[in-house]
Amino acid sequence: NAGVTQTPKFQVLKTGQSMTLQCAQDMNHEYMSWYRQDPGMGLRLIHYSVGAGITDQGEVPNGYNVSRSTTEDFPLRLLSAAPSQTSVYFCASSYSFADSSYNEQFFGPGTRLTVL
Amino acid sequence: SQQGEEDPQALSIQEGENATMNCSYKTSINNLQWYRQNSGRGLVHLILIRSNEREKHSGRLRVTLDTSKKSSSLLITASRAADTASYFCATDRGSTLGRLYFGRGTQLTVWP
């Protein structure tokens, strides 16, 4: 299994540009989520999904969109990039959200985004 | 807003010593988890402790949970240079939706 994969690893954007960060998992996990990590901060939840066709907002959703058309993929779209979105973005998945004993999350390697 | 608050923010020890990191949180929880992040990498799950458990072991790791004090500790025994990383606690705030809320982490440096 490849686990959780993310592309690209690095990206530089200009203010106002849009782009999509890709995330895929091959573990048949129900739950997927996107976090951003800023220096000196922990991870903050942007959006999450509890299954195909179902998404919801996390703590910091503004400026981002998500969709979940398949179990495997969970892309994150930046609509109009701003310097405040410069961050490292992590995608994660977990087997089941219903049973709290099994909701350990598996993380991708991250995408380092710089917005100029 | 941050849920877990790790203490200390940074910890520097010699190989062979034990490392203890603490986490405090503010709400009820179903479980608390600890993750490790090596520099420039994603987070890796270490251990999960449920709210009805008080202590859990995994290899050189020992986690305790005190729900009355809303706190947890992670002990790494006989530390190695390879344990150098950031360590984060995360809780679910009592939700069953799978959402996790992370603290800012403890940066552990183990000197050979």
Side-chain angles (χ1 to χ4, degrees), chain B residues 18-90:
Chain B
N18 295 341
T20 299
M21 289 159 272
N22 302 298
C23 169
S24 60
Y25 57 93
K26 299 175 182 176
T27 69
S28 62
I29 60 172
N30 294 310
N31 67 62
L32 184 143
Q33 303 181 37
W34 284 91
Y35 288 80
R36 183 187 74 224
Q37 183 181 33
N38 290 90
S39 181
R41 309 291 288 271
L43 276 72
V44 174
H45 181 265
L46 294 176
I47 197 164
L48 179 155
I49 185 165
R50 291 192 286 266
S51 60
N52 62 354
E53 297 176 314
R54 291 297 167 257
E55 187 171 312
K56 202 162 182 180
H57 296 256
S58 176
R60 292 184 297 113
L61 305 180
R62 172 177 169 255
V63 169
T64 62
L65 179 65
D66 186 335
T67 53
S68 67
K69 295 182 180 178
K70 290 187 170 57
S71 68
S72 174
S73 68
L74 171 67
L75 169 67
I76 304 174
T77 60
S79 295
R80 306 165 182 167
D83 294 326
T84 295
S86 292
Y87 291 82
F88 295 89
C89 68

Side-chain angles (χ1 to χ4, degrees), chain A residues 34-36 44-47 57-61 64 76 89:
Chain A
W34 277 101
Y35 297 89
R36 61 178 287 173
R44 291 184 291 170
L45 182 66
I46 304 172
H47 285 285
Q57 296 181 348
E59 300 172 87
V60 288
Y64 308 95
L76 177 72
Y89 291 84

